[in-house]
Structure formats: structure tokens, C-alpha cells
Amino acid sequence: IGTDAILFYAVYTLQEFGVSSRDALVITLMMGILKLMTTVLSSVIVDNPKVGRRKPLMVGGFICLVGNLSVAVASIFSNGAGGLIFGALTFIAGFGLSYGPLCWLILAEMFAGPYRSKALSFGSVINRLTSFAVTASYISLANVMGFTGLYLLLAAFCAAALLFSFLYIPELVGERLGSRKASTTAVDNHYQRNFADEEGMGSIVGGSVEGSIVDGNGSIVDAEQPSIGSQCEDVITGSVAESIVDAEQPRIDH
């Protein structure tokens, strides 16, 4: 959605609209401080049950959209430096409240144990590749599309991210780590089978599941039915009892 490009090229963009280099550096510093403050605020409020993850994500995503649209509108006018500064600061505040810290938190909470590290690694790679693409193409796109077209494009990405968050990102506050609906279907079943195989025959994975347990092969069996171990124990006990009875009977000599 453009955060790296906006921060990295803030001085360049502001100077294009007549802001002095000194003022541009001060404004860039203000962006960094604002991003830090909103990130800390997000970290404090997300564990509040009344706030959760989705609300900061949605509110911050909408603020990012407003910020990019403000920059796009301000860049139409030659003296739109004021609107440009307002839009950039608004965008940074929204990003620090939402996508900046919460993308890593939500990604880590949605997946079960063996998939969490893979999901975080994959997310990190995609994040860095897209950041590189946006940063590397910023000046070229600004020259081709103008700042208005460029920030309208970034606003479209913001709108897409906001829609995706609204439709697909669950509320994770209060949920057990890795137990969200998004990861409790085929992914968790596969995880349970693998875990049961590692533990061996008779391992109980996740406790009882509606009156059933998971055996060593990862299959769900009826808890009311005797297990193989108990059946073997019954057979051995019966054999010992029979041997004792036989020993107590008098032996007939021929």
C-alpha cells in the first residue's frame, strides 16, 4: 500500500511540491515518530476484549485509504504541499495503528505450531519483495503517472487490503494460539495425525473429541470401546487366572 515508498521518498516528494529540504527532513522525522507512537498504541489496545484485532485493522486501514486519497487530491494543485503533508501523516498514523504491527501478530496467531514458522517465513518474503517492488518503482511510476495517478493506485491497493481484512481476517482476541477456525479444519487434522505418529500407538491428541480419542495412527476411535492395550491386558489376565485354577486342581497320576 506504499508505506516504504512514502517514508523513503518523503523528502523527494515534499521537495517536488516546494517544501524546503530542511522542512522536508523535519516532516520525515515527524512521520517516524508518529509511526512509533501509533504502533505502541496498537500494541497496547489489541489485547483489550472490547477492541481486539479487527477494529484497529479496519480503522487503521480506512485511515490509510483517506491518507492516500488526500495526497492524490493535493497533488493536483501546484500549491498542495499542505494537503500532501496532511495526507502523508494521516497515512503513516493509520499504518502504524493497523497493518504495521498487526500483520505479524495475526499471521502468528492464525496457524498451528508446525505451520506458524512456515507462514511467517512466507509472509516475510512476500512482504519484503512487495516492499522492494514499490520502493524501486516509485520514482518511475511518479514520472509516468504523476503523483496523482500514483497515489490513486496506492489508494486502490488500500481499498483492496481493507476489503480483504473485512472479509477474511477473523477476530483472534481470546482465542487459543493456533486454534482459530481458519486453522482447525484440514490443517489441524493433518497436524494431529503427524503428532500422533511421532508419539506412537495410544497417544491421545488434543484429549477427547466428542466422546472419542485419537489413536497412534491419527484415527479417531470410540472412547467407549476398549483399546488394543486393554484387550491384550484382559487376555493376559484371563490366561493367568486359568493357570492358577489349573494349579489348584489335584493332579491325577497315572
Side-chain angles (χ1 to χ4, degrees):
I1 60 177
T3 179
D4 287 336
I6 292 173
L7 281 173
F8 295 162
Y9 293 103
V11 174
Y12 167 81
T13 305
L14 290 169
Q15 286 181 336
E16 288 292 312
F17 285 85
V19 180
S20 65
S21 59
R22 180 179 178 279
D23 292 340
L25 288 172
V26 172
I27 294 170
T28 304
L29 178 61
M30 291 173 58
M31 290 182 183
I33 295 174
L34 181 60
K35 183 180 179 182
L36 175 62
M37 293 173 60
T38 51
T39 300
V40 172
L41 174 62
S42 178
S43 302
V44 170
I45 65 176
V46 291
D47 285 328
N48 189 325
K50 295 181 179 180
V51 178
R53 275 68 160 151
R54 275 179 59 88
K55 289 180 181 179
L57 193 66
M58 300 301 298
V59 172
F62 180 76
I63 294 174
C64 289
L65 177 61
V66 172
N68 275 334
L69 288 176
S70 299
V71 174
V73 173
S75 60
I76 298 175
F77 307 98
S78 58
N79 59 346
L84 178 68
I85 296 170
F86 169 80
L89 292 174
T90 301
F91 174 87
I92 292 299
F95 184 83
L97 184 66
S98 57
Y99 301 119
L102 292 182
C103 68
W104 307 110
L105 177 63
I106 292 174
L107 191 62
E109 290 179 338
M110 286 182 64
F111 294 91
Y115 304 97
R116 188 175 300 116
S117 59
K118 297 179 179 64
L120 283 171
S121 299
F122 183 73
S124 298
V125 170
I126 297 300
N127 182 278
R128 290 300 91 197
L129 287 176
T130 52
S131 295
F132 171 78
V134 172
T135 304
S137 61
Y138 181 84
I139 295 179
S140 299
L141 290 175
N143 292 332
V144 173
M145 305 173 63
F147 286 105
T148 301
L150 174 58
Y151 278 89
L152 285 176
L153 177 63
L154 295 178
F157 284 123
C158 281
L162 186 61
L163 180 62
F164 179 87
S165 300
F166 177 75
L167 294 177
Y168 297 109
I169 301 299
E171 180 53 73
L172 299 169
V173 66
E175 295 284 346
R176 183 170 58 85
L177 190 64
S179 65
R180 185 60 198 168
K181 298 182 183 71
S183 62
T184 54
T185 53
V187 173
D188 271 0
N189 292 335
H190 178 68
Y191 166 61
Q192 289 178 347
R193 287 195 295 271
N194 290 342
F195 183 79
D197 291 340
E198 293 176 0
E199 291 296 313
M201 180 65 72
S203 299
I204 298 176
V205 181
S208 61
V209 182
E210 296 180 356
S212 302
I213 62 173
V214 181
D215 64 9
N217 295 322
S219 303
I220 295 180
V221 298
D222 191 349
E224 296 179 356
Q225 296 179 354
S227 63
I228 295 175
S230 63
Q231 291 175 357
C232 293
E233 184 180 353
D234 292 339
V235 172
I236 294 172
T237 304
S239 300
V240 172
E242 291 176 0
S243 299
I244 294 174
V245 171
D246 292 339
E248 291 178 350
Q249 293 179 355
R251 182 175 180 178
I252 299 175
D253 296 328
H254 295 283

